[in-house]
Amino acid sequence: DADVTQTPRNRITKTGKRIMLECSQTKGHDRMYWYRQDPGLGLRLIYYSFDVKDINKGEISDGYSVSRQAQAKFSLSLESAIPNQTALYFCATAVWTSGASSILAKNIQYFGAGTRLSVL
Amino acid sequence: KQEVTQIPAALSVPEGENLVLNCSFTDSAIYNLQWFRQDPGKGLTSLLLIQSSQREQTSGRLNASLDKSSGRSTLYIAASQPGDSATYLCAVRGKTSYDKVIFGPGTSLSVIP
């Protein structure tokens, strides 16, 4: 089973509809992220959460909201979908670990398979 | 504002060739840089992570280098295989562990059998 699971994998919706994308993880990581990917623009951060009570806006949070229901669950909502929110959405997790050297810390991100959203 | 670019946008090589993918960033004050591989429908897979104090990291046939002063990183793939065909993205994290990760647009690699 995947460590980071996104549902649904594909969704087509109409302008003005409310949409929720779900992300769950079995890695036990405290940090979770939502990104969107558009052709030629790479990935851009929407929201991120360092724990259940810590949620932060990313680069492009307008038009989106999130909920960290539990350490393992982080959902992304589009309250009123618009066509320019058509994109590939990725959820990611990370954990902060310190190596033996202690001054070097690792924050490797693990990604879900993505949700392809089309807003008509 | 940090900007990350990758050149070339697409690359097609015959199997067995060694190749280099390039990543450039405008703000040299980074915490770390990470290379990912993206396969269609399968999300992203982390390949290598280079801390700002490191110059390179190696994993199998992959070698990533980092030159902070010039704002560049390269991903070297030795003896390319058709299974290496994918999109490769680099991502940089700002000055602290809490800074955001900025992704490049990716390089689409095709390895021809």
PDB file of all heavy atoms in Angstrom, chain B residues 32-45:
ATOM      1  N   ASN B  32      18.578  23.429   1.612  1.00  0.00           N
ATOM      2  CA  ASN B  32      18.935  22.214   0.901  1.00  0.00           C
ATOM      3  C   ASN B  32      18.295  22.202  -0.471  1.00  0.00           C
ATOM      4  O   ASN B  32      17.485  23.074  -0.812  1.00  0.00           O
ATOM      5  CB  ASN B  32      18.551  20.948   1.693  1.00  0.00           C
ATOM      6  CG  ASN B  32      17.059  20.845   1.975  1.00  0.00           C
ATOM      7  OD1 ASN B  32      16.237  21.248   1.177  1.00  0.00           O
ATOM      8  ND2 ASN B  32      16.715  20.286   3.124  1.00  0.00           N
ATOM      9  N   LEU B  33      18.695  21.242  -1.277  1.00  0.00           N
ATOM     10  CA  LEU B  33      18.156  21.073  -2.620  1.00  0.00           C
ATOM     11  C   LEU B  33      17.847  19.597  -2.806  1.00  0.00           C
ATOM     12  O   LEU B  33      18.617  18.730  -2.413  1.00  0.00           O
ATOM     13  CB  LEU B  33      19.163  21.555  -3.672  1.00  0.00           C
ATOM     14  CG  LEU B  33      18.723  21.496  -5.141  1.00  0.00           C
ATOM     15  CD1 LEU B  33      19.328  22.666  -5.916  1.00  0.00           C
ATOM     16  CD2 LEU B  33      19.067  20.195  -5.801  1.00  0.00           C
ATOM     17  N   GLN B  34      16.715  19.338  -3.436  1.00  0.00           N
ATOM     18  CA  GLN B  34      16.263  17.955  -3.593  1.00  0.00           C
ATOM     19  C   GLN B  34      15.930  17.691  -5.044  1.00  0.00           C
ATOM     20  O   GLN B  34      15.316  18.531  -5.712  1.00  0.00           O
ATOM     21  CB  GLN B  34      15.031  17.731  -2.704  1.00  0.00           C
ATOM     22  CG  GLN B  34      14.614  16.301  -2.492  1.00  0.00           C
ATOM     23  CD  GLN B  34      13.593  16.186  -1.364  1.00  0.00           C
ATOM     24  OE1 GLN B  34      13.242  17.158  -0.713  1.00  0.00           O
ATOM     25  NE2 GLN B  34      13.101  14.982  -1.133  1.00  0.00           N
ATOM     26  N   TRP B  35      16.328  16.537  -5.536  1.00  0.00           N
ATOM     27  CA  TRP B  35      15.955  16.093  -6.881  1.00  0.00           C
ATOM     28  C   TRP B  35      14.873  15.022  -6.767  1.00  0.00           C
ATOM     29  O   TRP B  35      14.980  14.095  -5.951  1.00  0.00           O
ATOM     30  CB  TRP B  35      17.168  15.523  -7.612  1.00  0.00           C
ATOM     31  CG  TRP B  35      18.090  16.565  -8.177  1.00  0.00           C
ATOM     32  CD1 TRP B  35      19.195  17.105  -7.591  1.00  0.00           C
ATOM     33  CD2 TRP B  35      17.977  17.196  -9.454  1.00  0.00           C
ATOM     34  NE1 TRP B  35      19.776  18.029  -8.412  1.00  0.00           N
ATOM     35  CE2 TRP B  35      19.059  18.109  -9.573  1.00  0.00           C
ATOM     36  CE3 TRP B  35      17.084  17.081 -10.522  1.00  0.00           C
ATOM     37  CZ2 TRP B  35      19.263  18.895 -10.704  1.00  0.00           C
ATOM     38  CZ3 TRP B  35      17.278  17.858 -11.641  1.00  0.00           C
ATOM     39  CH2 TRP B  35      18.367  18.758 -11.724  1.00  0.00           C
ATOM     40  N   PHE B  36      13.853  15.170  -7.632  1.00  0.00           N
ATOM     41  CA  PHE B  36      12.740  14.232  -7.667  1.00  0.00           C
ATOM     42  C   PHE B  36      12.611  13.655  -9.069  1.00  0.00           C
ATOM     43  O   PHE B  36      12.990  14.269 -10.054  1.00  0.00           O
ATOM     44  CB  PHE B  36      11.413  14.934  -7.340  1.00  0.00           C
ATOM     45  CG  PHE B  36      11.291  15.434  -5.932  1.00  0.00           C
ATOM     46  CD1 PHE B  36      11.735  16.703  -5.602  1.00  0.00           C
ATOM     47  CD2 PHE B  36      10.708  14.650  -4.964  1.00  0.00           C
ATOM     48  CE1 PHE B  36      11.606  17.186  -4.312  1.00  0.00           C
ATOM     49  CE2 PHE B  36      10.561  15.121  -3.669  1.00  0.00           C
ATOM     50  CZ  PHE B  36      11.018  16.389  -3.347  1.00  0.00           C
ATOM     51  N   ARG B  37      11.964  12.513  -9.097  1.00  0.00           N
ATOM     52  CA  ARG B  37      11.564  11.912 -10.357  1.00  0.00           C
ATOM     53  C   ARG B  37      10.047  11.819 -10.355  1.00  0.00           C
ATOM     54  O   ARG B  37       9.435  11.443  -9.350  1.00  0.00           O
ATOM     55  CB  ARG B  37      12.176  10.520 -10.465  1.00  0.00           C
ATOM     56  CG  ARG B  37      11.637   9.684 -11.587  1.00  0.00           C
ATOM     57  CD  ARG B  37      12.152   8.284 -11.543  1.00  0.00           C
ATOM     58  NE  ARG B  37      11.475   7.489 -12.540  1.00  0.00           N
ATOM     59  CZ  ARG B  37      12.091   6.648 -13.364  1.00  0.00           C
ATOM     60  NH1 ARG B  37      13.393   6.468 -13.277  1.00  0.00           N
ATOM     61  NH2 ARG B  37      11.391   5.966 -14.252  1.00  0.00           N
ATOM     62  N   GLN B  38       9.434  12.159 -11.493  1.00  0.00           N
ATOM     63  CA  GLN B  38       7.983  12.078 -11.606  1.00  0.00           C
ATOM     64  C   GLN B  38       7.617  11.170 -12.759  1.00  0.00           C
ATOM     65  O   GLN B  38       7.975  11.434 -13.907  1.00  0.00           O
ATOM     66  CB  GLN B  38       7.367  13.461 -11.805  1.00  0.00           C
ATOM     67  CG  GLN B  38       5.850  13.438 -11.867  1.00  0.00           C
ATOM     68  CD  GLN B  38       5.246  14.826 -11.969  1.00  0.00           C
ATOM     69  OE1 GLN B  38       5.882  15.768 -12.408  1.00  0.00           O
ATOM     70  NE2 GLN B  38       4.009  14.958 -11.539  1.00  0.00           N
ATOM     71  N   ASP B  39       6.882  10.119 -12.450  1.00  0.00           N
ATOM     72  CA  ASP B  39       6.347   9.229 -13.462  1.00  0.00           C
ATOM     73  C   ASP B  39       4.857   9.499 -13.597  1.00  0.00           C
ATOM     74  O   ASP B  39       4.174   9.735 -12.607  1.00  0.00           O
ATOM     75  CB  ASP B  39       6.565   7.771 -13.061  1.00  0.00           C
ATOM     76  CG  ASP B  39       8.036   7.404 -13.035  1.00  0.00           C
ATOM     77  OD1 ASP B  39       8.580   7.171 -14.119  1.00  0.00           O
ATOM     78  OD2 ASP B  39       8.622   7.384 -11.936  1.00  0.00           O
ATOM     79  N   PRO B  40       4.345   9.448 -14.799  1.00  0.00           N
ATOM     80  CA  PRO B  40       2.914   9.747 -14.994  1.00  0.00           C
ATOM     81  C   PRO B  40       2.024   8.881 -14.116  1.00  0.00           C
ATOM     82  O   PRO B  40       2.173   7.661 -14.095  1.00  0.00           O
ATOM     83  CB  PRO B  40       2.700   9.445 -16.479  1.00  0.00           C
ATOM     84  CG  PRO B  40       4.047   9.621 -17.099  1.00  0.00           C
ATOM     85  CD  PRO B  40       5.025   9.142 -16.054  1.00  0.00           C
ATOM     86  N   GLY B  41       1.124   9.509 -13.395  1.00  0.00           N
ATOM     87  CA  GLY B  41       0.182   8.782 -12.562  1.00  0.00           C
ATOM     88  C   GLY B  41       0.752   8.215 -11.292  1.00  0.00           C
ATOM     89  O   GLY B  41       0.050   7.541 -10.542  1.00  0.00           O
ATOM     90  N   LYS B  42       2.028   8.464 -11.031  1.00  0.00           N
ATOM     91  CA  LYS B  42       2.642   7.864  -9.851  1.00  0.00           C
ATOM     92  C   LYS B  42       3.229   8.881  -8.893  1.00  0.00           C
ATOM     93  O   LYS B  42       3.932   8.539  -7.975  1.00  0.00           O
ATOM     94  CB  LYS B  42       3.744   6.879 -10.267  1.00  0.00           C
ATOM     95  CG  LYS B  42       3.214   5.668 -11.009  1.00  0.00           C
ATOM     96  CD  LYS B  42       4.310   4.637 -11.251  1.00  0.00           C
ATOM     97  CE  LYS B  42       3.757   3.404 -11.934  1.00  0.00           C
ATOM     98  NZ  LYS B  42       4.805   2.386 -12.169  1.00  0.00           N
ATOM     99  N   GLY B  43       2.951  10.162  -9.092  1.00  0.00           N
ATOM    100  CA  GLY B  43       3.452  11.145  -8.164  1.00  0.00           C
ATOM    101  C   GLY B  43       4.946  11.330  -8.256  1.00  0.00           C
ATOM    102  O   GLY B  43       5.563  10.965  -9.254  1.00  0.00           O
ATOM    103  N   LEU B  44       5.519  11.851  -7.212  1.00  0.00           N
ATOM    104  CA  LEU B  44       6.946  12.161  -7.196  1.00  0.00           C
ATOM    105  C   LEU B  44       7.702  11.211  -6.291  1.00  0.00           C
ATOM    106  O   LEU B  44       7.199  10.809  -5.248  1.00  0.00           O
ATOM    107  CB  LEU B  44       7.186  13.590  -6.709  1.00  0.00           C
ATOM    108  CG  LEU B  44       6.925  14.716  -7.708  1.00  0.00           C
ATOM    109  CD1 LEU B  44       5.456  14.994  -7.835  1.00  0.00           C
ATOM    110  CD2 LEU B  44       7.661  15.967  -7.286  1.00  0.00           C
ATOM    111  N   THR B  45       8.919  10.906  -6.704  1.00  0.00           N
ATOM    112  CA  THR B  45       9.807  10.080  -5.895  1.00  0.00           C
ATOM    113  C   THR B  45      11.078  10.870  -5.618  1.00  0.00           C
ATOM    114  O   THR B  45      11.689  11.384  -6.543  1.00  0.00           O
ATOM    115  CB  THR B  45      10.165   8.777  -6.625  1.00  0.00           C
ATOM    116  OG1 THR B  45       8.971   8.060  -6.916  1.00  0.00           O
ATOM    117  CG2 THR B  45      11.079   7.915  -5.771  1.00  0.00           C
TER     118      THR B  45
END
